[in-house]
Amino acid sequence: MTENQLEDQVRRVFERQGAALDAASLAPRVETPQEMATVEHLAAGRRPRGLFLAAAAVAAIAVGSVTFLAAQSAPQEAETASSDVRYPNAMTQSGTGPVAGEDHWHHAYTINHCGQDLPVTDQFAAAGGIHTHGGGLIHIHPFDETASEQNATLGLYFESQGAVLTDDSFSTGPFNETAVNMSEAEGCDGSPAVLQLAIWTDPFDPNAEPIVHTENLASAYFDVDNAAITLALLPAGAEIPKPPQDRLGMLQDLQAEPPAGVLPGEPVQIQPGQPSADLPSGEELEGSSPEN
Amino acid sequence: MQWNQPGQRRVSSGVTTNVPVGIEPQQPELTFDDFYARAWPMAFKFASILVQDSSVGEELAQEALTKMYPTWGRYERPEAYLRTVIANGSKNWHRHNQVVRTKLPLLAGPGHHDPVADELADAIAALPYRQRAVLVMRYYADMTEAEMAEALECRPGTVKSLASRALAALAKEIDQ
């Protein structure tokens, strides 16, 4: 990208942000004592969400404690878990989660209610750095410890939007254009259903099988980059759909980076459909762009 | 605060004023109320984009306008002065909050999604304050280098250097 192109892009980003702020700036506002109190909180760096996060941390500790106690009371199961599971709440069992100030990961996601994808929020939610610009992508970009490593949970992401995720129910938050409560108690059209979290670590492989969780959904933390996730309420055994193709396309766009050893800005040619030796094992560029 | 007397303001000295403004010669008089109404969208958005937070931006814009009110009538170019006051307020806010906060994303508009622009927005938000401020002033507020230097309390050469470093950092981020 040339400097002129970059400057144009920067202008466009600011125009976009300005346009997003337009609606809120239509009328000058008169501050109330309540608003001033909130501002004083902001100025003092005591953001109200701190309480929220503290509550989340307490909840996470509580869940962890319950899990630990349950493991203590079921020694056989605990033995199996300790030998197979190194990172109990990691979505893919791959590691300890994103590092603050270093990692900037992306997941395409969808919420599927009995076979129907719900509209995702356009709200740019801040939760210690986990956010979305809308469009069905989660940006896992922790800038402090409240949202890094094992704190980078799916529950935290939804919580920042006012949505509520438990092991058997999910309610969309106020920023979602459609208010939906889905729960195992209600099921799907009268049939029993299970709330599940499916993760595809290779979202562009059409044959890849997802890792599926049905427990500790809110405390499951992001532990890989470039994954696709679906939170679904579906009858047990039903196939869990991946996020829509346009979201996977956006994920793929972000993933397109020069292979190791290539200087930034240098053109890279990779034959469509051919695996690249320079890409990490198991990753291939698809032959055609995903449909939008 | 409430500006409920269009056309007239009672300033702290107790003098009621109708104030001429030199910024628009074809408009010989501009009351503070009119200026407030006209300048508010720019002030709010400029402040919000500078600090990357609409709540804080709103407060900084209000604060800047409040500061201008008692001395209304002394400004040849009130909008330029307003931008300088907002830039100063943003700088102070950042100074006090940089320990607890690296960035807060802004509200995004619904509809069109551009992943590259989103990445760039993130990279801009993560820039050190002065580098980001120069970009906002240059590419959003169309401020001159002299205005930017005044707002940032530095020399014009430093403005150039900050802009250059900011663009280099963004280019690196985009290339990655």
Side-chain angles (χ1 to χ4, degrees):
Chain A
M1 187 181 291
T2 66
E3 189 167 322
N4 284 344
Q5 288 170 329
L6 180 60
E7 288 176 329
D8 286 344
Q9 286 275 13
V10 170
R11 273 195 194 91
R12 271 200 285 276
V13 166
F14 291 143
E15 281 166 12
R16 213 168 139 226
Q17 293 183 332
L21 290 161
D22 266 335
S25 70
L26 288 180
R29 290 185 55 193
V30 177
E31 71 248 30
T32 63
Q34 194 177 11
E35 285 173 318
M36 286 306 293
T38 306
V39 169
E40 280 162 15
H41 264 294
L42 290 171
R46 298 189 301 269
R47 301 189 67 80
R49 73 183 166 82
L51 286 175
F52 224 20
L53 297 174
V58 169
I61 290 167
V63 167
S65 304
V66 168
T67 308
F68 175 75
L69 290 172
Q72 291 288 320
S73 61
Q76 273 191 325
E77 286 173 20
E79 200 173 310
T80 308
S82 64
S83 59
D84 295 337
V85 180
R86 290 179 61 199
Y87 308 103
N89 283 334
M91 284 191 190
T92 71
Q93 306 298 310
S94 297
T96 53
V99 176
E102 288 184 19
D103 291 319
H104 187 168
W105 296 346
H106 304 96
H107 281 21
Y109 82 109
T110 192
I111 301 165
N112 189 290
H113 184 205
C114 301
Q116 197 82 23
D117 279 331
L118 302 183
V120 288
T121 179
D122 268 319
Q123 184 73 13
F124 201 154
I130 302 178
H131 63 271
T132 181
H133 299 269
L137 277 192
I138 302 175
H139 294 240
I140 302 137
H141 192 182
F143 52 75
D144 62 38
E145 72 283 358
T146 61
S148 66
E149 304 193 17
Q150 297 186 27
N151 292 328
T153 63
L154 189 62
L156 180 62
Y157 172 69
F158 284 130
E159 188 181 64
S160 69
Q161 303 170 22
V164 179
L165 173 63
T166 71
D167 278 358
D168 54 16
S169 69
F170 175 74
S171 303
T172 53
F175 300 126
N176 210 309
E177 56 186 75
T178 310
V180 173
N181 296 312
M182 51 197 221
S183 72
E184 292 182 356
E186 288 186 11
C188 289
D189 298 325
S191 303
V194 182
L195 188 63
Q196 305 161 77
L197 174 66
I199 301 115
W200 289 264
T201 54
D202 189 355
F204 312 114
D205 177 354
N207 301 316
E209 290 292 328
I211 299 163
V212 179
H213 299 269
T214 57
E215 293 178 351
N216 299 331
L217 303 185
S219 52
Y221 65 86
F222 303 99
D223 62 338
V224 290
D225 189 10
N226 292 314
I229 61 175
T230 298
L231 178 69
L233 182 72
L234 287 168
E239 185 180 350
I240 303 173
K242 272 187 194 176
Q245 199 62 37
D246 61 334
R247 297 177 198 174
L248 298 179
M250 286 199 290
L251 189 66
Q252 197 165 32
D253 288 345
L254 291 171
Q255 201 180 7
E257 58 182 335
V262 177
L263 293 173
E266 192 175 326
V268 180
Q269 288 194 331
I270 298 172
Q271 293 302 315
Q274 295 295 316
S276 165
D278 291 319
L279 289 173
S281 170
E283 288 189 23
E284 292 181 14
L285 295 184
E286 300 227 319
S288 59
S289 299
E291 294 168 16
N292 286 320
Chain B
M1 98 194 61
Q2 192 149 14
W3 318 110
N4 54 5
Q5 297 290 322
Q8 290 194 322
R9 267 308 106 226
R10 184 169 291 280
V11 295
S12 55
S13 63
V15 178
T16 301
T17 57
N18 279 332
V19 182
V21 175
I23 183 174
E24 290 181 3
Q26 72 277 14
Q27 190 180 351
E29 286 191 351
L30 181 66
T31 65
F32 187 84
D33 280 338
D34 291 339
F35 173 70
Y36 189 100
R38 188 180 76 185
W40 174 258
M42 176 279 289
F44 167 65
K45 289 189 286 184
F46 179 54
S48 298
I49 294 173
L50 273 177
V51 295
Q52 295 284 298
D53 185 310
S54 57
S55 303
V56 177
E58 183 178 12
E59 185 53 30
L60 289 172
Q62 285 237 31
E63 207 173 273
L65 282 159
T66 306
K67 273 185 188 166
M68 289 179 71
Y69 170 59
T71 48
W72 183 247
R74 296 182 194 169
Y75 308 108
E76 279 186 26
R77 299 166 62 238
E79 270 143 345
Y81 185 79
L82 176 60
R83 284 195 299 258
T84 299
V85 176
I86 289 172
N88 276 328
S90 306
K91 184 180 66 188
N92 292 336
W93 186 85
H94 258 273
R95 189 178 291 151
H96 293 129
N97 290 276
Q98 62 187 1
V99 175
V100 293
R101 169 191 175 286
T102 306
K103 86 177 184 77
L104 278 180
L106 271 176
L107 208 68
H112 177 71
H113 298 292
D114 178 348
V116 176
D118 292 343
E119 287 303 289
L120 190 57
D122 284 347
I124 291 169
L127 285 174
Y129 172 71
R130 276 153 58 92
Q131 290 185 24
R132 183 171 70 242
V134 165
L135 297 185
V136 177
M137 290 173 188
R138 178 185 281 183
Y139 299 116
Y140 183 70
D142 290 326
M143 290 167 68
T144 65
E145 258 173 26
E147 287 173 336
M148 290 191 266
E150 187 186 348
L152 293 168
E153 295 173 331
C154 64
R155 290 174 302 175
T158 308
V159 169
K160 282 184 187 166
S161 158
L162 286 168
S164 167
R165 274 154 51 200
L167 289 173
L170 296 183
K172 188 177 170 189
E173 183 74 18
I174 294 297
D175 283 340
Q176 280 179 354

